[in-house]
Amino acid sequence: MKMAAIAAAITTTLVSGSALAAEVYNSDGTSLSIGGRAEFRGDFQGQASGSELDGTMDNKSRVRINVGGETKITDSLSGIAFYEAEQTVVNGSGVGSNSAQNAQNNAFTQRYMYAGLSTNGGDVTFGKQDAATVQISQMTDTVTTHSGIQKTFIEAGDEQINNAINYSGYFMDALSVKASLLASNAANEDGWALSGLYTLPFGLGLGLGYAANENPGNNAQDSKQFLGGLNYRWEGLYVAATYTQGEGSKKVAGNNDFNSVEFVAQYRFENNFEAVLGYQNGQIDPDGSAKFNVSDYYELTGIYYFNKSIRTYITYKFNNLKAEDKQTVTSNSTTSNPIYMDADNSLRLGLRYDF
């Protein structure tokens, strides 16, 4: 396998954790694989959002289950399908068997659901899936808790989008090309995205992407977004930086501009310990009001891999958001009457099992 393909595979593993999916059926050219993760995530000192933690622990645990299928039609054509869902815990207060402390969450949230065709020239898929530019935001969306803001600004650049028609191709053992058409069932809300990620033989990756969509429901202006990214892998070292800017963020109503930068550095030691440093800052500049931050933090993480399936980690988030930054609201505030405050730092302990 060439260096470019190795780098792409590593990035995918960091983000999804689905590389361990086990093949449970294979007969007559048709296969079925099942994978997922079970993960305890407990936030102490403050909530990950920056809101104050009144109690001892904010429980963010989750489980994900995915199913993937492939069937061979001809030597150069196959059918493919993928589904993934997530379940979280009920996190509340009270005592007794009927309280939120002892309540069950019976709902699974749909994350991905698509089917398509795979050829020697690339794959075409239909359904709920990532927009094309997500491969750029994934270059820095690798830390355990808080990264990935680049994909959240506009609809056409986000992950897990309904009504997406995607093309993805891999060429010259180096170039990953993706394109998306987002076909809305509402008038004047269609979108599209295009991206390319080229990885040089010595491990340096360069990515560019652009996304746009009509946006009459939230903003007077249409949305558009440019993304750029660089990453580099050498033995146990991985570093990456991404930048985005655009107009018409779905995070706030009305005309607005936005920009964001994200950085991550990781080093995996020979004793299976990994140290991670992350930084993120995102800003929105609305017409008629002052610019404010939607994210501003440093994050330090230590991860220990017991084996390829199970790891434990500890993360500390230094949250720099201030009261004037509109995302920092207390847990007892409401959308119509928020109470702004300086954001709290947070400490997360985690244990993750991939299967």
Side-chain angles (χ1 to χ4, degrees):
M1 184 181 292
K2 304 294 186 182
M3 178 64 74
I6 294 173
I10 290 171
T11 300
T12 300
T13 302
L14 289 169
V15 174
S16 67
S18 62
L20 296 178
E23 187 177 70
V24 296
Y25 175 83
N26 193 329
S27 179
D28 297 327
T30 297
S31 64
L32 181 70
S33 298
I34 296 177
R37 71 172 73 165
E39 185 175 12
F40 161 74
R41 303 186 300 171
D43 289 335
F44 300 84
Q45 181 178 337
Q47 298 184 45
S49 64
S51 295
E52 183 179 356
L53 177 62
D54 295 327
T56 302
M57 184 184 75
D58 189 26
N59 192 350
K60 295 295 185 182
S61 299
R62 63 188 178 186
V63 64
R64 290 179 181 174
I65 297 175
N66 60 65
V67 180
E70 181 175 1
T71 184
K72 196 171 186 63
I73 301 170
T74 68
D75 289 341
S76 59
L77 180 65
S78 299
I80 53 177
F82 185 79
Y83 172 80
E84 183 175 79
E86 177 178 280
Q87 187 180 60
T88 59
V89 297
V90 175
N91 195 12
S93 60
V95 294
S97 60
N98 295 321
S99 73
Q101 290 279 34
N102 202 36
Q104 298 182 16
N105 182 4
N106 298 317
F108 273 85
T109 300
Q110 178 193 93
R111 286 172 49 81
Y112 296 96
M113 186 172 67
Y114 60 85
L117 296 171
S118 178
T119 73
N120 293 336
D123 300 343
V124 179
T125 50
F126 309 82
K128 186 171 187 178
Q129 52 194 319
D130 294 341
T133 51
V134 171
Q135 73 166 335
I136 310 301
S137 62
Q138 281 180 342
M139 297 170 77
T140 50
D141 188 9
T142 61
V143 299
T144 58
T145 53
H146 306 110
S147 60
I149 191 177
Q150 316 294 44
K151 63 179 180 283
T152 65
F153 282 102
I154 75 170
E155 200 74 35
D158 210 345
E159 62 181 0
Q160 302 158 32
I161 299 298
N162 283 324
N163 298 18
I165 304 171
N166 282 8
Y167 167 81
S168 59
Y170 193 67
F171 306 97
M172 304 177 294
D173 264 343
L175 178 62
S176 172
V177 175
K178 295 182 182 290
S180 299
L181 173 63
L182 309 177
S184 175
N185 64 347
N188 302 318
E189 292 188 9
D190 290 344
W192 63 275
L194 180 67
S195 70
L197 175 57
Y198 186 83
T199 304
L200 297 167
F202 56 89
L204 177 66
L206 304 95
L208 290 174
Y210 184 82
N213 60 265
E214 301 170 286
N215 195 5
N218 190 40
N219 302 322
Q221 66 186 142
D222 292 338
S223 297
K224 58 184 179 181
Q225 179 181 22
F226 164 83
L227 297 94
L230 293 171
N231 64 3
Y232 177 71
R233 176 168 288 277
W234 179 73
E235 296 184 349
L237 176 68
Y238 179 81
V239 293
T242 54
Y243 174 78
T244 188
Q245 66 178 41
E247 301 174 356
S249 172
K250 64 180 180 178
K251 291 179 176 291
V252 296
N255 293 347
N256 63 82
D257 297 329
F258 62 85
N259 66 84
S260 176
V261 62
E262 190 168 88
F263 171 81
V264 64
Q266 304 173 221
Y267 189 80
R268 180 84 169 263
F269 296 89
E270 292 183 357
N271 62 357
N272 292 330
F273 177 79
E274 185 172 49
V276 184
L277 170 65
Y279 171 73
Q280 184 185 105
N281 178 264
Q283 296 183 330
I284 292 182
D285 187 4
D287 283 357
S289 58
K291 180 188 298 185
F292 63 92
N293 292 326
V294 290
S295 67
D296 186 9
Y297 70 83
Y298 295 91
E299 178 177 306
L300 292 175
T301 298
I303 309 171
Y304 182 75
Y305 295 84
F306 295 99
N307 56 35
K308 66 179 182 180
S309 296
I310 189 165
R311 74 192 75 169
T312 186
Y313 58 87
I314 181 170
T315 297
Y316 196 84
K317 179 181 180 181
F318 300 88
N319 201 331
N320 301 318
L321 288 175
K322 303 301 179 184
E324 60 268 22
D325 298 317
K326 299 181 181 181
Q327 295 296 315
T328 54
V329 297
T330 62
S331 57
N332 64 346
S333 66
T334 65
T335 302
S336 59
N337 186 29
I339 305 171
Y340 303 124
M341 59 173 287
D342 289 351
D344 282 352
N345 298 334
S346 62
L347 173 69
R348 174 169 290 186
L349 301 179
L351 182 66
R352 170 174 159 178
Y353 182 90
D354 293 332
F355 56 88

